[in-house]
Amino acid sequence: DAGVTQSPTHLIKTRGQHVTLRCSPISGHKSVSWYQQVLGQGPQFIFQYYEKEERGRGNFPDRFSARQFPNYSSELNVNALLLGDSALYLCASSLGAPGYTFGSGTRLTVV
Amino acid sequence: QKEVEQDPGPLSVPEGAIVSLNCTYSNSAFQYFMWYRQYSRKGPELLMYTYSSGNKEDGRFTAQVDKSSKYISLFIRDSQPSDSATYLCAMTPSGGYNKLIFGAGTRLAVHP
């Protein structure tokens, strides 16, 4: 059974650009969460979706947005990219705590 | 003050050593305590979790939770070079769909 898949694996963007990251959860998992992991730090919670509804939002600016589709896949969008947005973006799917399974992440570099 | 504190290390031990990894936390509402292992350039992988206080053992790994002290530990016995990774503690208030609060992670290197 496939795990959590994220795409792309790496990308480089210029300051001010927009980026869309994608996540496909484990089959049967209806909850998807997004985390940002800056080098040398633990993951920081960005968003959580369940059944296409936002269930939680972390302390991130409005430049960050997300949505979940009817097939439970999800997108994370970041507008007006800043150098500080460079990080590993992780998606996790779940049937409920504590069973969060993470994908390998998308490594975003903003130059 | 961060909700979850974890010494980032790095921690370097010889093969076969017993490794002790620790986190402290401030939010008494945390009920689920998890340990994740993260290899370089990979996502975190759940090692084990504990609900409320107590101990849990899985092979060479033992997780302990002391809610009175707001302190959790992960012990690795007979450490192997393949255990070299970053270990992240994570916590959440309850079941359902709550966010995970992570520590900063401890880098562990087990040398032959």
Side-chain angles (χ1 to χ4, degrees):
Chain A
D1 194 15
V4 178
T5 57
Q6 293 187 243
S7 63
T9 54
H10 302 83
L11 75 165
I12 299 174
K13 290 286 189 178
T14 304
R15 278 178 297 175
Q17 285 190 314
H18 163 89
V19 68
T20 297
L21 311 180
R22 295 178 175 83
C23 171
S24 292
I26 291 173
S27 178
H29 287 194
K30 299 179 180 180
S31 174
V32 168
S33 302
W34 288 94
Y35 289 79
Q36 181 196 64
Q37 187 176 23
V38 174
L39 192 63
Q41 297 182 20
Q44 297 290 314
F45 173 75
I46 310 176
F47 284 109
Q48 184 170 61
Y49 278 80
Y50 176 73
E51 290 276 17
K52 297 169 288 181
E53 291 194 2
E54 183 181 304
R55 288 297 188 93
R57 182 185 183 115
N59 188 23
F60 281 80
D62 291 343
R63 300 184 295 108
F64 288 76
S65 64
R67 56 179 175 169
Q68 187 177 31
F69 298 100
N71 66 353
Y72 304 116
S73 67
S74 179
E75 284 183 354
L76 175 69
N77 295 283
V78 187
N79 292 324
L81 285 167
L82 303 174
L83 295 179
D85 295 331
S86 296
L88 180 68
Y89 288 85
L90 295 162
C91 174
S93 76
S94 170
L95 286 171
Y100 293 88
T101 302
F102 284 83
S104 292
T106 294
R107 186 162 298 279
L108 171 65
T109 301
V110 182
V111 297
Chain B
Q1 182 187 6
K2 293 182 179 180
E3 280 191 284
V4 179
E5 299 278 359
Q6 183 177 10
D7 187 337
L11 186 61
S12 181
V13 301
E15 183 175 356
I18 296 175
V19 176
S20 173
L21 305 167
N22 312 292
C23 290
T24 58
Y25 63 95
S26 57
N27 188 345
S28 58
F30 289 142
Q31 294 283 354
Y32 282 96
F33 303 90
M34 287 151 273
W35 286 96
Y36 284 84
R37 177 174 62 195
Q38 186 173 27
Y39 291 113
S40 181
R41 299 187 178 277
K42 296 292 186 182
E45 170 196 11
L46 180 65
L47 276 176
M48 47 195 314
Y49 73 90
T50 307
Y51 175 73
S52 194
S53 285
N55 297 352
K56 188 172 186 178
E57 186 173 323
D58 184 1
R60 296 185 295 111
F61 299 89
T62 299
Q64 291 184 351
V65 174
D66 182 350
K67 293 190 72 179
S68 62
S69 302
K70 296 190 177 65
Y71 187 88
I72 71 169
S73 301
L74 178 70
F75 297 95
I76 306 174
R77 291 183 298 279
D78 187 25
S79 56
Q80 303 295 310
S82 59
D83 295 327
S84 299
T86 295
Y87 289 80
L88 297 155
C89 64
M91 308 174 192
T92 191
S94 64
Y97 302 98
N98 287 288
K99 64 181 180 182
L100 299 180
I101 309 298
F102 282 87
T106 300
R107 281 173 48 204
L108 172 67
V110 181
H111 51 87

